[in-house]
Amino acid sequence: YLLGAVLIYGGYGTLDIPLLAQAVRPEPIAWAALALMTVGLLGKSAMFPLHIWLPPAHGGAPAAASAVLSALVVKTSVVLLYRLWLWSAAGLEREAAALLLGLLGAAAVLYGSTAALLQQQLKRVVAYSTVAQLGYLMLLFPLAGQPSAWPAAGLQLLSHGLAKAGMFL
C-alpha cells in the first residue's frame, strides 16, 4: 500500500482524493499505484485469498481485541478501497477492476461461508464468517452505479460491525 501511495505522490504531487480525481490519467504509474494499493488493502481487510491471517488472529486474541478487529479494523480497509477506486480513480476506465473486485467478493462469500461451516471453534467460525461478510461489501464495486448500492453497503458495514462486536463481547 505504501509503495502505491509513494507512486501516486511522485506522479501527481498529491494524495488528496478530490485533487487526484481531477489529475489521474490512464497511464502506467496510475495503474501500478492502484494495483499496489489495492493488494495492500485487500490483505489488510482479510479479503479472499489474502485472508489467511484473520482466523489465527481471532483465535489467539482476547475477546475485546477480536471485537475491534472484526467490527472496525478490516472494514476500514474496505472503505479505503471504495474511496480509492470509486472517487480517486474517476479518470480511469474502471469496469474491469470493478468486475475483478466483485468476483473476489463473490469468491469470499462462497469460501468464507463454506469454511465457517466446517470449523470446530466458535472464534474461527466468526472469523470465516467475517471473510464472507466482507465479500458482500466487495460486491459494491460492480454495482456502484445502482442507486441502492451505497445504502446497502452502509447497512452491511453497520450491521456486521455491531453483530460481530456483540458476538465477541
Side-chain angles (χ1 to χ4, degrees):
Y1 178 83
L2 186 58
L3 183 55
V6 168
L7 284 174
I8 288 283
Y9 188 78
Y12 299 105
T14 186
L15 294 175
D16 186 74
I17 290 176
L19 293 177
L20 277 175
Q22 295 172 357
V24 73
R25 296 176 302 280
E27 57 188 356
I29 194 167
W31 288 113
L34 283 170
L36 288 168
M37 293 172 85
T38 299
V39 170
L41 290 171
L42 289 174
K44 179 68 174 169
S45 65
M47 185 56 57
F48 176 83
L50 304 174
H51 67 285
I52 58 172
W53 64 270
L54 187 64
H58 276 310
S66 290
V68 172
L69 176 65
S70 185
L72 297 175
V73 174
V74 294
K75 285 179 204 60
T76 304
S77 302
V78 174
V79 171
L80 285 173
L81 273 171
Y82 290 164
R83 294 189 69 163
L84 180 67
W85 278 103
L86 301 176
W87 297 328
S88 300
L92 301 176
E93 295 294 323
R94 303 173 296 198
E95 289 79 20
L99 182 60
L100 178 63
L101 291 170
L103 288 173
L104 280 176
V109 170
L110 295 173
Y111 176 81
S113 299
T114 304
L117 288 171
L118 300 174
Q119 298 307 307
Q120 300 294 321
Q121 295 176 327
L122 183 59
K123 279 189 166 186
R124 292 183 73 84
V125 170
V126 176
Y128 281 108
S129 171
T130 295
V131 172
Q133 297 300 310
L134 291 171
Y136 286 114
L137 291 172
M138 296 299 285
L139 293 176
L140 173 75
F141 287 100
L143 302 174
Q146 302 298 318
S148 61
W150 287 105
L155 184 60
Q156 175 67 4
L157 281 164
L158 179 64
S159 63
H160 179 262
L162 292 174
K164 291 299 166 90
M167 215 179 279
F168 278 115
L169 294 177

